[in-house]
Amino acid sequence: MTSLRRRLLLWLLPATLLTGILASAATYWGALAELDDLLNDQLKAIARHVVVDADGRLSLKGVHGKDEDRLSGQQSHGVLVQVWRGSTPVFSSDPDSVIPPPRGPGLADVTVNGQLWHTYVSRNGDMLVRVAQVQQARWEAVAEIAVHLFWPVLSLIPVLALFLWFGIGYGLRPLREVVASLKRRDANNMQSIDTEAVPGEVKPLVEALNDLLQRLDEAFTTQKHFIADAAHELRTPIMGLGLQAELLPRATSAEERETIVAQIRTGAARLAHLAEQLLTLARLSPDSQAPISDDVDLTALARSVVSDRARIALANQIDLGFVGTSRVTVTGNADNLRILLNNLVDNAIRYAGAHARVDIIVRQEGSCAMLEVCDTGPGIPEAERARVWERFYRGSDHAASGSGLGLSIVQRIAEQHRARISLENGRDQQGLTVQLRFPATQPDGVNGRLTNDTV
């Protein structure tokens, strides 16, 4: 398991070490530039302290005491002192260091055998006193300074690692508190986590968890209500089937036996329809996987539904037809849209009553596609229209059998397709019109009304 503390430590420690190295390097190059000026001033100061006697003897004041062996320009803390009379050397503190004669007083850089010498020459009577130091010696002096600066940084890494380890642990404590709070909960506790004492960096995570808990709570509540309602609705047809099954062996005549068998078939069909509707509603739940969308021809879909439901409509003495003035295409899932239209047509056939008329209308209205299912039945009272979208609600004035899930399924599919659905009065304020409005492409072609008499 990857540790966030270890990951932060592995990033921060190398970053700190790299920062220390870069700081030491910057100090080295900065000190090198400053040291050049400082050592040039030192060369001038030493040159001024060199005294040449009349007989050519050399004496030094305040330069490395009386130990002239240390006056070597090859050493990091030493300098080379030479006395020249014209081009003739009179004195050299380091005979092994050979430098050409000076050209005149002042600062000068001389390259000898690939080495750069920084020199300063002063005039003392008829003699020239030169103080020199090789560039490599200066670099060694600066390197010693850089090492002295780098070692404290390197030695502080264990201490820094210790502080980072406990500091990161302290910073992650709010996460551990959130984890502990969640572990203490049971499966039914979906209460939001308090975000007042949560740091700003952790707050988005806690808010996302709260949002997830809220959605889970809503999903579990919906599932509980769904299971309870389904169990309630399934109980009646199952009990009816059981009762009819008990009465069947007791039938005393063939006519009574046929009546019971017919009731069993009706109950089984109702139970199968209810189970199918429940499965469809579960498949269309908001948490389910989004269906595959494509261009769907509503005109062709409406014709197909009219053809499929024509015999059922004739059996119920319903005039079922399609009215289309244009070819309308929407983006959606063809199977789900077919389920939507089938449920609307089935509801209209079931509740409109004998000799009623049911029309499927597909048209274009501006940039919106319109799908309407109109009937001339008794309609739905205004007071009940808000409740018909609820699961298992069938209204109080309808004797027709049904599951009460058709419009709930229609509403789910409409939401999937971002369609607005509404219930309106039918033509001449008679019957009911279920209207769906959602974006579509421009129409083309013209069609008339297709009825179950012409299918």
Side-chain angles (χ1 to χ4, degrees), residues 280-299:
T280 301
L281 194 60
R283 183 171 58 84
L284 296 172
S285 64
D287 296 332
S288 61
Q289 186 176 4
I292 299 175
S293 296
D294 201 355
D295 291 338
V296 180
D297 185 357
L298 284 182
T299 304

Side-chain angles (χ1 to χ4, degrees), residues 151-189:
W151 275 111
V153 175
L154 192 62
S155 62
L156 285 176
I157 287 181
V159 179
L160 181 62
L162 190 63
F163 274 101
L164 286 175
W165 181 265
F166 288 103
I168 294 172
Y170 178 79
L172 296 176
R173 188 170 63 178
L175 288 177
R176 292 196 297 269
E177 292 176 354
V178 171
V179 172
S181 174
L182 292 175
K183 284 184 176 181
R184 289 193 296 267
R185 298 187 178 195
D186 55 26
N188 297 319
N189 188 353

Side-chain angles (χ1 to χ4, degrees), residues 316-320 348 351-358 375-378:
N316 288 272
Q317 300 180 359
I318 298 293
D319 180 15
L320 175 63
Y351 296 110
H355 309 294
R357 174 173 170 170
V358 177
D375 66 69
T376 58

Side-chain angles (χ1 to χ4, degrees), residues 206-219:
V206 177
E207 290 177 347
L209 285 174
N210 286 337
D211 180 64
L212 176 61
L213 290 173
Q214 181 180 359
R215 287 186 281 117
L216 286 175
D217 187 29
E218 294 174 356

Side-chain angles (χ1 to χ4, degrees), residues 122 127 228 313 349 453:
S122 65
M127 297 185 182
I349 292 174
D453 297 326

Side-chain angles (χ1 to χ4, degrees), residues 251-301:
T252 57
S253 63
E255 182 179 355
E256 183 179 1
R257 186 177 293 105
E258 286 296 329
T259 301
I260 295 175
V261 169
Q263 291 177 348
I264 291 176
R265 290 173 179 169
T266 301
R270 180 185 175 189
L271 186 61
H273 177 70
L274 179 58
E276 181 181 357
Q277 295 286 72
L278 287 173
L279 290 174
T280 301
L281 194 60
R283 183 171 58 84
L284 296 172
S285 64
D287 296 332
S288 61
Q289 186 176 4
I292 299 175
S293 296
D294 201 355
D295 291 338
V296 180
D297 185 357
L298 284 182
T299 304
L301 181 64

Side-chain angles (χ1 to χ4, degrees), residues 324-372:
T325 59
S326 60
R327 180 179 182 273
V328 179
T329 304
V330 298
T331 301
N333 183 269
D335 294 335
N336 287 353
L337 287 175
R338 181 178 292 276
I339 293 174
L340 176 147
L341 198 51
N342 282 335
N343 275 278
L344 290 178
V345 173
D346 286 343
N347 276 2
I349 292 174
R350 191 184 303 273
Y351 296 110
H355 309 294
R357 174 173 170 170
V358 177
D359 284 335
I360 302 177
I361 303 174
V362 177
R363 58 189 174 87
Q364 189 83 26
E365 188 175 286
S367 61
C368 297
M370 305 294 296
L371 174 63
E372 298 176 344

